[in-house]
Amino acid sequence: MLIREGQVAVITGGASGIGYGLAEALAARGIRLVISDIREDGLIAAAAALRGAEVTAVVADVSDEASVRALAERTMAAYGRVDLVCNNAGVVCPAAPLWDQDARTWQRMIGVKILGVVHGVKAFAPLLIEQGSGHFLNTASSGGLAPLPGRTPYTGTMHAVVGLTETLDLELKQVAPTLGATVLCPGLVDTPLGQNSAALGAIELPAGAGATPSMRSQAGAHGGILSPREVAESALTAIEAGRVHVAPGAGVATRARARVDTLLADITVA
Ligand SMILES: NC(=O)c1ccc[n+]([C@@H]2O[C@H](COP(=O)([O-])OP(=O)(O)OC[C@H]3O[C@@H](n4cnc5c(N)ncnc54)[C@H](O)[C@@H]3O)[C@@H](O)[C@H]2O)c1
């Protein structure tokens, strides 16, 4: 999909980090925005910071289907159309091996990361289909392309977002070639994901900590930390190029290739 002035984009988790980076990048292209987040204070601050852009701010919880449906209704009431839906909201989970991850963590991650995306697609796909054009950008993670020990609720749900986006793109293309979906799988990004996840009760953060420890160690092993704006620009480039995957970050492609090579080697053994 070509991104052109006057189009409308919706961004969940738009108050912070990658979502806010997407808002900045889209505003710079003259896109009208609906930014949405569960944290009202962050949302108000983000909308104020996007001075000069046409912005509607809507508080919504992506894990709640009715809340996301209301977001779609507010979008249509504000602009009468929607071209790009960024299902981006997310939290991180505590670090522990799978057998020590508790059921509430799994429920939260499934609710926010998997059902959050599902609710976004269910609420907005009929609108895009009726319009005859439009695109979904679903944020997963490099942890959705390769194993990330210590965060199975995170990696498991991110792998799900990769898989469902690949399938969603095919389903949309069966309806019309002007519809599609892209999954965003960045490496480490300089965002307050840890702090926001702690504020939302998803993790406990040691005093003074920034990004979560596993993300820092990931960066240490694989190179630099991206800015949210860099990630956003990569995502928009991929959408315009019609790509289904975009994975900015040093080492991400190498880790994904290692996983695919291992998978193919394993399944081709007689
Ligand atoms: N920061 C990284 O290194 C990194 C790397 C790869 C993928 N990601 C993914 O990118 C996405 C965005 O994360 P970020 O790093 O920008 O963090 P962030 O905390 O800056 O932004 C996430 C936003 O989502 C919002 N949110 C959380 N739960 C919500 C809910 N139920 N409903 C609506 N909004 C909700 C938060 O309030 C926050 O504003 C997440 O899905 C994250 O897993 C992050």
Side-chain angles (χ1 to χ4, degrees), residues 7-14 19 23 26 31-37 43 50 54-59 70-72 74-76 78-79 81-82 84-86 124:
Q7 290 174 335
V8 175
V10 179
I11 306 163
T12 69
L26 288 162
I31 306 301
R32 296 175 288 165
L33 299 174
V34 177
I35 58 168
S36 180
D37 206 282
L43 192 60
L50 290 164
E54 200 170 335
V55 182
T56 301
V58 180
V59 175
L71 170 63
R74 286 283 304 278
T75 302
M76 293 307 279
Y79 301 122
R81 65 176 294 111
V82 56
L84 176 63
V85 180
C86 305
F124 286 96

Coordinates of all heavy atoms in Angstrom, one line a residue, residues 7-14 19 23 26 31-37 43 50 54-59 70-72 74-76 78-79 81-82 84-86 124:
Q7 N -4.6 10.1 4.1 CA -5.1 8.8 4.6 C -5.3 8.8 6.1 O -4.8 9.8 6.8 CB -4.1 7.7 4.2 CG -4.1 7.4 2.7 CD -3.0 6.4 2.3 OE1 -2.0 6.3 3.0 NE2 -3.2 5.7 1.2
V8 N -5.9 7.8 6.6 CA -6.1 7.7 8.1 C -5.5 6.4 8.7 O -5.6 5.4 8.1 CB -7.7 7.6 8.3 CG1 -8.0 7.4 9.8 CG2 -8.4 8.9 7.8
A9 N -4.8 6.6 9.8 CA -4.1 5.5 10.4 C -4.6 5.4 11.9 O -4.7 6.4 12.5 CB -2.6 5.6 10.4
V10 N -4.8 4.2 12.4 CA -5.1 3.9 13.8 C -3.9 3.2 14.4 O -3.3 2.3 13.8 CB -6.3 3.0 13.9 CG1 -6.6 2.7 15.4 CG2 -7.5 3.6 13.2
I11 N -3.5 3.7 15.6 CA -2.3 3.0 16.2 C -2.7 2.7 17.7 O -2.9 3.6 18.5 CB -1.1 4.0 16.2 CG1 -0.8 4.5 14.8 CG2 0.1 3.3 16.9 CD1 0.1 5.7 14.8
T12 N -2.7 1.4 18.0 CA -2.9 1.0 19.4 C -1.5 1.0 20.1 O -0.5 0.8 19.4 CB -3.5 -0.4 19.5 OG1 -2.6 -1.4 19.1 CG2 -4.8 -0.4 18.7
G13 N -1.5 1.3 21.4 CA -0.2 1.5 22.1 C 0.5 2.7 21.5 O 1.7 2.8 21.5
G14 N -0.3 3.7 21.1 CA 0.2 4.9 20.4 C 0.8 5.9 21.4 O 1.3 6.9 20.9
G19 N 4.8 2.7 19.0 CA 3.5 3.3 18.5 C 3.6 4.8 18.3 O 3.1 5.3 17.3
A23 N 3.3 7.1 15.0 CA 2.5 8.3 14.9 C 3.3 9.5 14.3 O 2.8 10.2 13.4 CB 1.9 8.6 16.3
L26 N 4.1 8.8 10.5 CA 2.9 9.0 9.7 C 2.4 10.4 9.7 O 2.0 10.9 8.6 CB 1.8 8.1 10.2 CG 2.0 6.6 10.0 CD1 1.1 5.7 10.9 CD2 1.7 6.2 8.5
I31 N -0.5 12.0 7.3 CA -1.6 11.1 7.6 C -2.4 11.6 8.8 O -1.8 12.0 9.8 CB -1.0 9.7 7.9 CG1 -0.1 9.2 6.8 CG2 -2.1 8.7 8.2 CD1 -0.7 9.1 5.5
R32 N -3.7 11.4 8.8 CA -4.6 11.7 9.9 C -4.6 10.6 10.9 O -4.6 9.4 10.4 CB -6.0 12.1 9.4 CG -6.0 13.3 8.5 CD -7.4 13.6 8.0 NE -7.7 12.6 6.9 CZ -9.0 12.4 6.5 NH1 -10.0 13.1 7.0 NH2 -9.2 11.5 5.5
L33 N -4.5 10.9 12.1 CA -4.2 9.8 13.1 C -5.3 9.6 14.1 O -5.9 10.5 14.6 CB -2.9 10.2 13.9 CG -1.6 10.3 13.1 CD1 -0.5 10.8 14.0 CD2 -1.2 9.0 12.5
V34 N -5.5 8.3 14.5 CA -6.2 8.0 15.7 C -5.1 7.2 16.6 O -4.7 6.2 16.2 CB -7.4 7.0 15.5 CG1 -8.0 6.7 16.8 CG2 -8.4 7.7 14.6
I35 N -4.7 7.9 17.7 CA -3.8 7.2 18.6 C -4.6 6.7 19.8 O -5.5 7.4 20.3 CB -2.6 8.0 19.0 CG1 -3.0 9.3 19.7 CG2 -1.7 8.3 17.8 CD1 -1.8 10.0 20.4
S36 N -4.3 5.4 20.1 CA -5.1 4.8 21.2 C -4.2 4.1 22.2 O -3.1 3.6 21.8 CB -6.0 3.8 20.5 OG -6.8 3.1 21.5
D37 N -4.6 4.1 23.4 CA -3.8 3.5 24.5 C -4.6 3.2 25.7 O -5.7 3.8 25.8 CB -2.6 4.4 24.9 CG -1.4 3.5 25.4 OD1 -1.4 3.1 26.6 OD2 -0.4 3.4 24.6
L43 N -1.6 9.0 26.9 CA -2.2 9.3 25.6 C -2.4 10.8 25.4 O -2.2 11.4 24.3 CB -3.6 8.6 25.6 CG -4.3 8.5 24.2 CD1 -3.5 7.8 23.2 CD2 -5.6 7.8 24.4
L50 N 2.2 15.7 19.5 CA 2.1 15.6 18.0 C 1.5 16.8 17.4 O 0.5 16.8 16.6 CB 1.2 14.4 17.6 CG 1.8 13.0 17.9 CD1 0.8 11.9 17.9 CD2 2.9 12.7 16.9
E54 N -3.2 16.1 12.6 CA -4.6 15.9 12.9 C -4.7 14.6 13.7 O -4.5 13.5 13.2 CB -5.4 15.8 11.6 CG -6.9 16.1 11.8 CD -7.6 16.2 10.5 OE1 -7.0 16.6 9.4 OE2 -8.8 16.0 10.5
V55 N -5.0 14.7 15.0 CA -4.9 13.6 15.9 C -6.2 13.5 16.7 O -6.7 14.4 17.3 CB -3.8 13.7 16.9 CG1 -3.7 12.5 17.8 CG2 -2.5 13.9 16.2
T56 N -6.8 12.3 16.7 CA -7.8 11.9 17.6 C -7.3 10.9 18.6 O -6.7 9.9 18.2 CB -9.0 11.3 16.9 OG1 -9.5 12.2 15.9 CG2 -10.2 10.9 17.8
A57 N -7.5 11.1 19.9 CA -7.0 10.2 20.9 C -8.1 9.5 21.5 O -9.1 10.1 22.0 CB -6.2 11.0 22.0
V58 N -8.0 8.1 21.6 CA -9.1 7.3 22.1 C -8.5 6.3 23.1 O -7.6 5.5 22.8 CB -9.8 6.5 21.0 CG1 -10.9 5.6 21.5 CG2 -10.3 7.4 19.9
V59 N -9.0 6.3 24.3 CA -8.6 5.3 25.3 C -9.3 4.0 25.0 O -10.5 3.9 24.8 CB -8.9 5.8 26.8 CG1 -8.6 4.7 27.8 CG2 -8.2 7.1 27.1
A70 N -15.4 -0.2 19.8 CA -15.7 1.3 20.0 C -14.6 2.2 19.4 O -14.9 3.3 18.9 CB -15.8 1.6 21.5
L71 N -13.3 1.7 19.4 CA -12.2 2.4 18.8 C -12.5 2.6 17.3 O -12.3 3.6 16.7 CB -10.9 1.7 19.0 CG -9.7 2.2 18.3 CD1 -9.3 3.6 18.6 CD2 -8.5 1.3 18.6
A72 N -13.0 1.5 16.7 CA -13.3 1.5 15.2 C -14.4 2.5 15.0 O -14.4 3.3 14.0 CB -13.6 0.1 14.7
R74 N -15.2 5.1 16.8 CA -14.7 6.5 16.9 C -13.9 6.9 15.7 O -14.0 8.1 15.3 CB -13.9 6.5 18.2 CG -14.6 6.5 19.5 CD -15.3 7.8 19.8 NE -14.4 9.0 19.9 CZ -13.6 9.3 20.9 NH1 -13.6 8.6 22.0 NH2 -12.8 10.4 20.8
T75 N -13.2 6.0 15.1 CA -12.4 6.3 14.0 C -13.3 6.7 12.8 O -13.0 7.7 12.1 CB -11.5 5.1 13.6 OG1 -10.7 4.7 14.7 CG2 -10.6 5.4 12.3
M76 N -14.3 5.9 12.6 CA -15.2 6.2 11.5 C -16.0 7.5 11.7 O -16.2 8.3 10.8 CB -16.2 5.0 11.2 CG -15.5 3.7 10.7 SD -14.4 4.0 9.3 CE -15.7 3.9 8.0
A78 N -14.9 10.0 13.4 CA -13.9 11.1 13.2 C -13.6 11.4 11.7 O -13.5 12.6 11.3 CB -12.7 10.9 14.0
Y79 N -13.3 10.3 11.0 CA -12.7 10.5 9.6 C -13.5 9.9 8.5 O -13.2 10.1 7.3 CB -11.3 10.0 9.6 CG -10.4 10.7 10.6 CD1 -9.7 9.9 11.6 CD2 -10.1 12.0 10.6 CE1 -8.8 10.5 12.5 CE2 -9.3 12.6 11.5 CZ -8.6 11.9 12.5 OH -7.8 12.4 13.3
R81 N -13.2 7.0 7.3 CA -12.4 5.9 6.6 C -11.2 5.5 7.5 O -10.9 6.2 8.4 CB -11.9 6.4 5.2 CG -10.9 7.6 5.2 CD -10.4 7.9 3.8 NE -9.7 6.8 3.3 CZ -10.1 6.1 2.2 NH1 -11.2 6.3 1.6 NH2 -9.3 5.1 1.7
V82 N -10.6 4.5 7.1 CA -9.3 4.0 7.7 C -8.5 3.3 6.7 O -9.0 2.4 6.0 CB -9.6 3.2 9.0 CG1 -10.5 2.0 8.8 CG2 -8.3 2.8 9.7
L84 N -4.8 2.4 7.4 CA -3.7 1.6 8.0 C -4.1 1.4 9.5 O -4.4 2.4 10.2 CB -2.4 2.4 7.9 CG -1.2 1.7 8.6 CD1 -0.9 0.4 8.0 CD2 0.0 2.7 8.5
V85 N -4.1 0.2 9.9 CA -4.4 -0.2 11.3 C -3.1 -0.8 11.9 O -2.7 -1.9 11.5 CB -5.6 -1.2 11.4 CG1 -5.9 -1.5 12.9 CG2 -6.8 -0.6 10.7
C86 N -2.5 -0.1 12.9 CA -1.3 -0.6 13.5 C -1.7 -1.3 14.9 O -2.0 -0.6 15.8 CB -0.3 0.5 13.8 SG 0.1 1.4 12.3
F124 N -11.7 -3.9 12.4 CA -11.4 -3.0 11.2 C -11.4 -3.7 9.9 O -11.6 -3.0 8.9 CB -10.0 -2.4 11.5 CG -10.0 -1.3 12.5 CD1 -9.6 -1.5 13.8 CD2 -10.4 0.0 12.2 CE1 -9.6 -0.5 14.8 CE2 -10.4 1.0 13.1 CZ -10.0 0.8 14.4

